[in-house]
Amino acid sequence: MSEQPLFQEKPEVNILIQVLQKYLPFWPLFALTIPIAMSVSYVYLRSQIPIYVATAKVLLKDPNKGSGDSKVLDALNIFSEKKIVDNEILVLKSASIVQEVVKELNLYATVYNQGKVRLEELYGQNSPLSFVALNEDSIFSYNKFFFSIDWKNKTVAINNQTVAFDSTVNLGGTTYRFVINNNYNKAVTGKNYFVLLRPIAAVSGGISGALGASPLSNVSTVLNVSFSTPEPLKGEAILTKLFEVYNREGIEDKNQIASKTLTFIDDRLHLVIGQLDSVEKNIVSFKAKESLYAVGSQAELFFTKVQELDKQKGEIDLQLEILNDIKNYIQAKGKKTGTVPSLSLVTDATLSALLGQLYQTEFDRDNAISITGEQSEPVLQTTEKVRRLKIDILENINNIRANLLTVKNDIIAKISLNNGLLTQVPQKERGLLEISRQQAVKNTIYSYLLQKREETALSSASTSSDLRVIERPNSYGPVSPVAKNFYLTGFIVGLLSAIFLVLMKEQFKSRILFRDEIEGKTSVPFAGEIVQASTKTPVVIMEGKRTVIAEQFRALRTNLAYIGLNEQNKTMLVTSSISGEGKSFIAINFAISLTLTGKKVALMEMDLRKPKLSNLMGITRDPGISNYIVGKATYQQVVHASSIANLFIIPAGVIPPNPTELIAKPGFTDLMEKLKKDYDYIILDTAPIGPVTDALLLKDFCDVTLYVIRHDRTPKVFIRTINQLNEAKKFNNMCLVFNGVKKRGINIGNISKSYGYGYGYGYGYGYGYGYGYGYGYAVDDAKPGFFNIKRWGRKIKRIIYGR
C-alpha cells in the first residue's frame, strides 16, 4: 500500500482569502482590541499640542551690487549669489538677532494654561497678562510659577504673593512688571495659569531651531521663511520682529562707515578752521602794519600760479593723509575687525573697491564666528581672504603713494620756480602774497571737506535695508498632530495586537492544533478527521443521522476501505500517543458505521489497564477478555450484545496484574481466531503507546492500524514517535485520524455556533470541510442570520472570483 495521503488538499492561493479565513473566526478579539487601541489614540491625540506654521517671503538684495568694476571683483574671488543667500540665512538665524527678538517681544516669559488633557500656550490677546523683565540679562535659570488673577480687586497671586496690577514682583532673582490685557474675557474660570521663565539664550536657541529658511530656487534670492509654533499669532509676531531687527542691524552696520568718515572730516575741518582763522588774522595784521592794500599785476600773476599749485599740493597732501589712515588701519588693526576709515574720501576706484570688499569680508567673518565658532571652515576661509585683501590693499596704497609723491615733487618744483620769480617783487608785497597764498590753500581744503561731509551725510541718510518683505507673515494649520494618522495607527496597532494574540495562542503551543502540522512532518497517510462532538453520549452516528460528525465517520469508513480494511483484512487496531485522545470514542462510532452497512462487528476492549469502552456502552466488564485467556470464562460468556444491531462488545474483564504477559498467552490467539470466523470486522480499542507497549504486541493480529491524534491534546513531540513507528513497521497499514477538531475563534454564545466548522482547526489552511452545505447536510446547532460566516464567506468568494 502506498504511504501517500489519500488526497492532497489544494492550498488557497488568494492571500486575502487566506487571511480572512485564518483570522475571521477571532473577530470578537479584533472587535475588542481595535476599539481599545483607537480609544487610546484618541486620548493621546487630545493630549498633543497642535502645531501651526507661520510663513513669509522676503527678498534679499545683493550687498555687492555697485561695489566697483566687475573684473576687479572677479579677480578678488567674490562669493556667488547663492553663497551670499546661504550666509544671510545664517545671519537671519544667528543668536544675536534672535536674542534681540526675544528681548523685544518678552518671549523669555511664556504664559500657559494647564488643562486636564493638554497644555495650552497663551499669547497676545489670548493671555490675561504678560511679564516684562526690567533687566532681561539677569534671567539665568528656569522657573515655573502658577498664578491666579482677581479681576475685581485688580491683584495677581503668584509665588505666595499678592501683587497689584501696577506693581512689580521679583521672580527667580529678576524683577518683572505686569502688563494686564484689559481685553481678556474676565468671566473665564477654572484655568490653571502658570508662567515659565527661561534664559534668553535658551529661548533663542529654541526659536532658531524652529526657524526654517530656504530660497525658492537655486538662482533666486527670495527666501521662504517659516516658523513652527503652538501659537500662530506668536509665530507671526516673531517673523515680523525678526525681519525688523535684521534690517535695523544691517542699516546700523552700514552706517558705521559714514559715521567714521564724518568723524574724520569733522576733525579735519576743526583743524583747517583754526589754521584759516590764524592766516586771516595774519593778513589783517600784516596789511595794517605795512599799510598794503594791493599788489602789482606781475606779482599777482605769480601769486595766482603759486596759489593753484598750492591747491593741488594740498589735495595731494590730503590724499596722502587718507592713505596713511588706511595703512594704519590695515597694519595697526590687522587682527581686529572694524570699519574702514574715510572710505568715501578715496578717489582711486580700485582702492575703493578693495576697501569695500575688505569691509564686507570682515563682516562675513564676524557673522560666521558668531554662528559656527572661530575654528570652523567658513571662518578660516574668510580669515585667509581678509589677509590676501590686506596685502593687495597695502600694495595698491604703495603704488598710489608713489604716484602722488611724484606729482607732489613736480608741484613743489613749480612752486619753487614761481617763488623765485616772486623774489623780484618788493619785499612787503611778497610777504602779503605769501600770507594770501596760505589763506587760499586753507579755503580750498575747507571747501573740499565741507563738500565731502555733505556727500557722506546724504549717503548715510539714504541707506536702505538688504531685506524686503514681499509677503507679510501669515499662519496656517494645525499641521500636527494629524488626526487620521493617529486613528490609522490605533487601528493598525489594534489589528496587529489581535493578530499577535492569535499567533501566541496558535503558533507557540506545544500541542497539535492544525492538520498541516501533522502532514508537514509525517508521511503516514491521513484517513480522516472528526470534529469535536457537542453531545455527552459516546454514540454520534446512527441510522439516518446526517450530522457533520456522522458524515465524517462515514468518510473515515470509506477511506479505510481504500487503505485495505475489508472482509478479508477485517481486523483494525485503534491506538494513540497518550490517554484522553478519544480512542474509545473513535472505535465505538467507527464500529457503528460498519454495522450500518449490514456488517457484523466485534468491538474488543483491549485497554486492559484502564478499560472505558464497556462503561461507555453500558456493558458489564466481567467476564471479559482476561477471564477467557486464563480459562475462567467461555467464549459465549465474554461476547456481549449491545443495544445497537450487529454490534457486539468483548469487554476487558478483570483487570490483570500483568496485561502484557496476558496478551502473549495462547488463549488470546484462540479468542482472535474465533472472532475472525464469526464476525465481518473486528475493532481493537487498545492502550496508548506512550505509557505502555500493549498495542505493539497486537501487530500480528491486526490488518490495519488507526492512530488517533487529538486536537489541542496530543503533544507535537509525538509526531516523531509516529514516524519512528511507521519506519520500523511496528504496525500494519498505519494511518491517522485527527480527532476532536474544534472551532477556531472565540465562542460567544450562539454567535460562535453559527460558524459551524467551516473555519475549523482541522485543515489548518482555514477553508471549510464541505459538509453541511455542499451535500445537503445540516451543521449541528447552526443558525442563519448576519453572523453566519459560511454564508458571508460564500458571498465574498463570489464577489472575488465572479461566480
Side-chain angles (χ1 to χ4, degrees):
M1 183 204 71
S2 174
E3 293 185 353
Q4 296 300 319
L6 296 176
F7 61 92
Q8 184 68 37
E9 188 76 28
K10 183 180 179 181
E12 177 64 63
V13 295
N14 189 300
I15 186 64
L16 177 61
I17 296 297
Q18 291 185 37
V19 172
L20 285 176
Q21 291 172 342
K22 185 172 184 178
Y23 293 107
L24 196 57
F26 294 92
W27 69 267
L29 180 61
F30 288 89
L32 178 65
T33 58
I34 291 177
I36 290 176
M38 295 189 70
S39 298
V40 173
S41 298
Y42 171 75
V43 174
Y44 187 63
L45 174 63
R46 288 290 306 277
S47 67
Q48 296 300 297
I49 298 176
I51 301 299
Y52 297 82
V53 176
T55 62
K57 286 185 174 62
V58 294
L59 173 65
L60 285 176
K61 302 175 184 177
D62 186 358
N64 289 326
K65 186 175 182 181
S67 60
D69 188 4
S70 61
K71 294 183 179 178
V72 175
L73 299 181
D74 292 338
L76 295 174
N77 189 26
I78 300 302
F79 291 148
S80 66
E81 186 172 312
K82 182 63 171 65
K83 187 67 176 177
I84 293 172
V85 171
D86 290 341
N87 288 343
E88 295 307 311
I89 289 175
L90 293 177
V91 174
L92 191 66
K93 299 172 65 175
S94 63
S96 59
I97 291 181
V98 177
Q99 286 182 10
E100 189 63 28
V101 172
V102 173
K103 291 180 181 180
E104 295 188 16
L105 293 180
N106 306 318
L107 301 179
Y108 45 77
T110 308
V111 178
Y112 293 93
N113 170 42
Q114 181 64 65
K116 295 181 179 179
V117 178
R118 69 183 178 201
L119 191 66
E120 179 186 10
E121 181 178 348
L122 306 178
Y123 180 81
Q125 296 300 315
N126 295 326
S127 177
L129 79 165
S130 57
F131 294 76
V132 179
L134 301 186
N135 182 13
E136 302 96 338
D137 296 328
S138 64
I139 306 174
F140 297 108
S141 60
Y142 290 80
N143 290 287
K144 180 179 179 180
F145 298 97
F146 283 88
F147 66 89
S148 61
I149 302 176
D150 187 345
W151 296 101
K152 182 178 180 181
N153 297 321
K154 297 184 178 181
T155 58
V156 177
I158 185 172
N159 196 25
N160 299 322
Q161 305 176 56
T162 301
V163 185
F165 281 1
D166 298 330
S167 303
T168 60
V169 62
N170 188 284
L171 301 173
T174 303
T175 302
Y176 295 88
R177 176 173 55 86
F178 295 133
V179 178
I180 303 300
N181 180 13
N182 294 318
N183 296 325
Y184 189 76
N185 186 3
K186 301 176 180 59
V188 174
T189 59
K191 299 289 186 178
N192 296 319
Y193 300 118
F194 70 88
V195 60
L196 182 62
L197 306 175
R198 294 173 292 172
I200 293 176
V203 179
S204 65
I207 293 176
S208 297
L211 268 175
S214 59
L216 295 184
S217 66
N218 292 332
V219 296
S220 173
T221 59
V222 176
L223 297 182
N224 185 21
V225 185
S226 62
F227 180 71
S228 301
T229 173
E231 178 55 53
L233 295 178
K234 179 179 177 181
E236 295 176 12
I238 288 175
L239 291 184
T240 302
K241 183 61 67 173
L242 181 70
F243 302 148
E244 177 185 329
V245 173
Y246 175 87
N247 282 332
R248 185 176 67 218
E249 293 199 357
I251 292 174
E252 290 176 357
D253 191 70
K254 288 181 179 181
N255 287 337
Q256 288 182 11
I257 296 176
S259 176
K260 288 199 172 186
T261 301
L262 287 173
T263 301
F264 174 80
I265 292 175
D266 287 340
D267 291 340
R268 297 298 299 171
L269 279 173
H270 181 72
L271 177 62
V272 171
I273 289 173
Q275 294 174 349
L276 189 59
D277 288 343
S278 177
V279 171
E280 290 175 348
K281 289 179 181 178
N282 290 337
I283 291 176
V284 172
S285 176
F286 185 83
K287 285 184 176 182
K289 180 180 177 181
E290 302 295 338
S291 299
L292 293 175
Y293 301 98
V295 293
S297 58
Q298 186 178 9
E300 191 71 32
L301 177 62
F302 295 150
F303 176 76
T304 302
K305 291 183 177 179
V306 172
Q307 189 179 30
E308 291 177 356
L309 292 173
D310 283 338
K311 177 181 177 181
Q312 296 177 14
K313 180 175 175 293
E315 292 177 354
I316 291 175
D317 288 337
L318 181 61
Q319 289 292 321
L320 290 173
E321 289 182 12
I322 294 173
L323 291 176
N324 285 333
D325 286 344
I326 295 175
K327 185 175 182 180
N328 291 335
Y329 168 80
I330 298 297
Q331 292 179 340
K333 298 184 178 181
K335 297 183 180 179
K336 182 177 180 182
T337 59
T339 304
V340 179
S342 308
L343 186 62
S344 63
L345 301 179
V346 178
T347 58
D348 187 81
T350 303
L351 179 60
S352 178
L354 288 170
L355 290 174
Q357 180 60 27
L358 175 64
Y359 170 71
Q360 181 63 38
T361 304
E362 287 185 334
F363 178 73
D364 292 341
R365 183 179 63 181
D366 292 343
N367 289 337
I369 290 174
S370 65
I371 295 170
T372 62
E374 295 185 356
Q375 299 301 320
S376 64
E377 185 66 21
V379 173
L380 296 177
Q381 291 178 354
T382 52
T383 301
E384 176 62 19
K385 186 173 182 180
V386 168
R387 188 187 66 80
R388 294 199 312 268
L389 284 173
K390 288 184 178 182
I391 293 174
D392 294 340
I393 292 172
L394 291 175
E395 183 179 352
N396 187 264
I397 288 174
N398 291 333
N399 294 332
I400 296 173
R401 178 186 294 276
N403 294 331
L404 291 175
L405 289 175
T406 301
V407 175
K408 180 180 177 181
N409 291 332
D410 183 62
I411 293 174
I412 291 174
K414 292 179 180 180
I415 292 175
S416 298
L417 177 62
N418 285 276
N419 282 335
L421 296 174
L422 283 174
T423 56
Q424 302 174 7
V425 180
Q427 183 177 1
K428 292 182 179 180
E429 292 182 356
R430 187 170 65 248
L432 179 61
L433 290 175
E434 288 286 347
I435 300 174
S436 299
R437 186 183 67 182
Q438 295 179 11
Q439 181 188 27
V441 171
K442 301 301 180 185
N443 279 330
T444 301
I445 295 174
Y446 179 74
S447 300
Y448 177 78
L449 291 175
L450 285 177
Q451 178 186 354
K452 290 298 180 182
R453 185 171 68 173
E454 291 301 318
E455 292 176 357
T456 303
L458 289 174
S459 175
S460 176
S462 62
T463 301
S464 62
S465 61
D466 289 336
L467 184 146
R468 188 181 76 189
V469 178
I470 58 179
E471 282 189 14
R472 294 184 178 276
N474 60 86
S475 56
Y476 64 90
V479 296
S480 69
V482 181
K484 65 178 182 180
N485 292 343
F486 276 77
Y487 293 134
L488 180 61
T489 301
F491 177 81
I492 293 175
V493 169
L495 193 69
L496 294 180
S497 298
I499 292 175
F500 177 75
L501 293 174
V502 173
L503 291 177
M504 288 290 293
K505 179 181 186 299
E506 295 183 346
Q507 301 299 325
F508 298 99
K509 263 201 170 185
S510 62
R511 298 174 181 177
I512 297 174
L513 296 177
F514 300 104
R515 174 171 169 173
D516 61 353
E517 292 177 337
I518 306 171
E519 291 180 330
K521 297 179 181 179
T522 180
S523 60
V524 180
F526 243 87
E529 55 187 13
I530 307 298
V531 299
Q532 178 72 22
S534 59
T535 177
K536 295 182 179 180
T537 62
V539 178
V540 296
I541 180 172
M542 297 292 292
E543 183 69 35
K545 196 168 187 179
R546 307 297 293 275
T547 62
V548 168
I549 193 168
E551 292 303 321
Q552 287 179 325
F553 273 107
R554 291 184 176 96
L556 178 63
R557 180 184 65 198
T558 303
N559 291 338
L560 287 175
Y562 281 106
I563 289 176
L565 184 64
N566 49 49
E567 293 184 2
Q568 287 74 36
N569 300 314
K570 60 177 64 177
T571 307
M572 186 182 76
L573 181 144
V574 181
T575 187
S576 67
S577 302
I578 59 176
S579 178
E581 292 179 292
K583 298 180 301 298
S584 299
F585 172 77
I586 296 294
I588 291 171
N589 288 280
F590 181 73
I592 295 174
S593 70
L594 292 174
T595 63
L596 297 179
T597 63
K599 304 300 181 181
K600 189 176 180 182
V601 181
L603 181 57
M604 300 181 65
E605 189 177 25
M606 286 305 300
D607 188 352
L608 302 180
R609 301 173 187 271
K610 292 183 178 180
K612 296 179 180 178
L613 189 145
S614 56
N615 185 45
L616 292 174
M617 297 301 295
I619 302 297
T620 302
R621 195 177 64 200
D622 186 15
I625 297 172
S626 61
N627 303 94
Y628 179 84
I629 293 175
V630 298
K632 293 186 178 181
T634 63
Y635 175 72
Q636 290 75 17
Q637 289 177 329
V638 299
V639 177
H640 299 265
S642 68
S643 59
I644 299 172
N646 291 329
L647 178 61
F648 296 87
I649 309 298
I650 297 90
V654 177
I655 298 177
N658 54 344
T660 304
E661 291 78 6
L662 195 65
I663 294 174
K665 290 182 179 294
F668 180 74
T669 303
D670 180 65
L671 177 62
M672 290 300 297
E673 291 177 354
K674 291 181 179 180
L675 291 173
K676 289 181 179 181
K677 292 179 181 179
D678 296 340
Y679 295 94
D680 297 321
Y681 290 98
I682 302 169
I683 310 298
L684 284 74
D685 177 23
T686 67
I689 65 169
V692 294
T693 61
D694 295 2
L696 298 175
L697 300 176
L698 301 173
K699 171 189 174 183
D700 296 335
F701 300 98
C702 300
D703 303 308
V704 176
T705 302
L706 185 62
Y707 198 99
V708 180
I709 298 175
R710 185 167 182 176
H711 165 260
D712 202 18
R713 175 70 179 177
T714 304
K716 294 179 180 179
V717 296
F718 278 99
I719 298 294
R720 181 182 301 176
T721 302
I722 294 173
N723 287 329
Q724 292 172 351
L725 292 172
N726 186 51
E727 292 171 0
K729 304 296 183 181
K730 294 294 183 68
F731 293 108
N732 296 323
N733 293 334
M734 187 174 177
C735 59
L736 304 177
V737 62
F738 198 15
N739 182 37
V741 178
K742 301 175 184 175
K743 309 169 217 176
R744 292 186 73 241
I746 300 175
N747 298 327
I748 304 181
N750 291 332
I751 294 177
S752 64
K753 294 180 181 180
S754 64
Y755 282 93
Y757 299 97
Y759 297 89
Y761 276 97
Y763 286 99
Y765 309 122
Y767 36 85
Y769 298 113
Y771 299 110
Y773 295 98
Y775 300 97
Y777 304 119
V779 178
D780 286 342
D781 300 322
K783 295 188 178 182
F786 178 79
F787 291 101
N788 193 317
I789 303 302
K790 273 197 168 183
R791 187 184 67 183
W792 284 99
R794 291 198 306 276
K795 290 183 178 181
I796 294 173
K797 208 166 187 178
R798 282 198 296 269
I799 294 173
I800 295 174
Y801 294 109
R803 53 183 173 83

